[in-house]
Amino acid sequence: MRRRTFLKRMLATFAMALGLDGSLFQKFFSEFALAAPDLPRVATGTNQDYSRLLTDIMHALGGMERFVKPGQRVVVKPNISWDRRPEFGANTNPLVVKRLVELCLEAGAGEVTVMDRPCNDPRRCYRDSGILDAVRSIGSDRAKIKHLNPRRFVEVKLPRGVSLKQWPFYRDALEADVLIVAAPAKQHGSARLSLSMKNIMGLVGGRRERLHVGGLHQHIADLNTGLRADLSIIDATHMMVANGPSGGSLDDVRVLNRVAASADPVAVDSYAATLFGLQGEDIGYIRYGYQMGFGQIDLNKINLVEV
């Protein structure tokens, strides 16, 4: 288990043992986990140069060195679910993924592994998304892109889960020192929007179609109690506004050239919802995530910086 994950769970157990209610636990957890009062909670910006954009956003958040320490093992989890080219916005933009990996390496990461559990044929998804070539083009033996091995999923108990009490998660993500989620901003037929908290579903095993039955939004929030990202990225460079999550037509895509990032998955997802003309409260899993103490949903209460 990652040290940071262990610490979070220890804090959660401690808070519950004290009988803290949800709001108190939320403050306790959020303020501890996100302790950086002089830095913005969410940084965002637009630029057609995605490498420059990612660099500026991470600088605003205190630098990648705030999240990645020398020698650490990092897992970067983009969306590589669909065998679509980057311009369709179904997957995370490969240039965004590439710069994220580079920033981790520049911060001294010992190893950065990019991975996802695609819905379409994995090899076609990795290739057609452009992410396979993007990671390989970095030319570092510390930057890797891997397919998930079905034998490396392990059952994880979810004591804070409301609907789910356990579910299989990918061992490598659980054991990484740092987990970075990079989610494309998409309309979604079942979840309404697919953002960073939902992107965690690409690191879980089992029959994922079961998660869509009996309360998808609560299930997503519950899964985030088992594996929480240390850094959440929203890729709205090519935002899918219809026929998600797979799309398939350029008419479904609005080119914004925008990226947002935060250590607070609720805050960055709440911000991303506004790009679709919605509020965080309109999306069930964001609302549940807030109620369960994962972060701040009210954008009026966070320091949001445009770079």
Side-chain angles (χ1 to χ4, degrees):
M1 181 183 297
R2 295 181 298 151
R3 284 171 293 181
R4 189 167 180 176
T5 301
F6 172 79
L7 184 57
K8 291 172 186 173
R9 292 183 181 178
M10 184 181 70
L11 288 170
T13 302
F14 178 66
M16 287 186 288
L18 292 177
L20 299 179
D21 64 22
S23 60
L24 286 174
F25 174 75
Q26 176 184 321
K27 179 176 177 58
F28 179 74
F29 179 86
S30 298
E31 295 308 317
F32 183 90
L34 306 172
D38 55 334
L39 294 173
R41 183 70 66 93
V42 175
T44 184
T46 61
N47 196 324
Q48 295 183 36
D49 181 342
Y50 301 154
S51 178
R52 181 75 260 165
L53 179 58
L54 260 294
T55 301
D56 290 346
I57 286 173
M58 290 311 303
H59 179 73
L61 288 179
M64 187 61 85
E65 294 80 5
R66 175 186 164 198
F67 300 91
V68 177
K69 307 303 180 189
Q72 287 189 319
R73 292 174 301 159
V74 180
V75 165
V76 173
K77 195 299 187 182
N79 189 318
I80 327 177
S81 288
W82 311 99
D83 54 355
R84 304 276 192 222
R85 298 193 306 274
E87 59 266 31
F88 289 101
N91 305 303
T92 309
N93 190 287
L95 297 178
V96 171
V97 177
K98 178 181 179 180
R99 188 56 186 147
L100 271 178
V101 174
E102 289 174 338
L103 288 169
C104 293
L105 295 176
E106 291 168 10
E111 179 180 286
V112 184
T113 305
V114 177
M115 61 176 64
D116 191 18
R117 183 186 174 192
C119 296
N120 294 151
D121 176 75
R123 296 191 181 282
R124 290 175 57 187
C125 293
Y126 275 46
R127 181 195 63 202
D128 295 347
S129 67
I131 293 175
L132 178 65
D133 285 345
V135 175
R136 286 178 172 174
S137 71
I138 296 172
S140 170
D141 59 4
R142 294 185 290 140
K144 307 176 187 299
I145 180 166
K146 294 182 178 179
H147 292 283
L148 272 59
N149 181 341
R151 291 175 294 183
R152 292 190 62 77
F153 286 99
V154 295
E155 288 288 336
V156 173
K157 294 188 181 303
L158 305 173
R160 293 192 60 220
V162 175
S163 297
L164 298 178
K165 293 301 180 184
Q166 66 178 45
W167 198 266
F169 287 76
Y170 202 63
R171 180 186 294 274
D172 299 50
L174 292 168
E175 294 180 348
D177 296 306
V178 181
L179 173 63
I180 299 176
V181 166
K186 299 193 292 184
Q187 183 272 341
H188 192 285
S190 299
R192 200 170 182 184
L193 296 181
S194 180
L195 301 169
S196 75
M197 288 179 64
K198 187 182 180 304
N199 204 32
I200 288 290
M201 288 180 66
L203 292 173
V204 304
R207 296 175 57 190
R208 290 188 297 185
E209 67 274 17
R210 289 174 50 200
L211 296 170
H212 290 258
V213 179
L216 172 62
H217 291 276
Q218 185 62 63
H219 291 162
I220 292 172
D222 289 350
L223 291 174
N224 278 264
T225 68
L227 189 61
R228 172 178 165 139
D230 299 293
L231 174 64
S232 297
I233 306 290
I234 293 293
D235 167 19
T237 57
H238 294 71
M239 191 170 78
M240 184 182 292
V241 297
N243 298 311
S246 59
S249 168
L250 293 179
D251 292 336
D252 300 332
V253 178
R254 187 182 303 158
V255 179
L256 296 186
N257 295 320
R258 176 170 292 277
V259 172
S262 178
D264 180 338
V266 174
V268 76
D269 281 3
S270 185
Y271 166 73
T274 67
L275 301 177
F276 294 85
L278 299 170
Q279 302 298 315
E281 290 84 353
D282 297 326
I283 309 301
Y285 64 81
I286 302 177
R287 186 172 65 251
Y288 292 142
Y290 167 69
Q291 293 170 351
M292 296 169 74
F294 300 161
Q296 180 56 257
I297 198 170
D298 187 347
L299 298 182
N300 293 316
K301 296 181 178 179
I302 67 170
N303 181 10
L304 191 153
V305 170
E306 181 89 14
V307 301

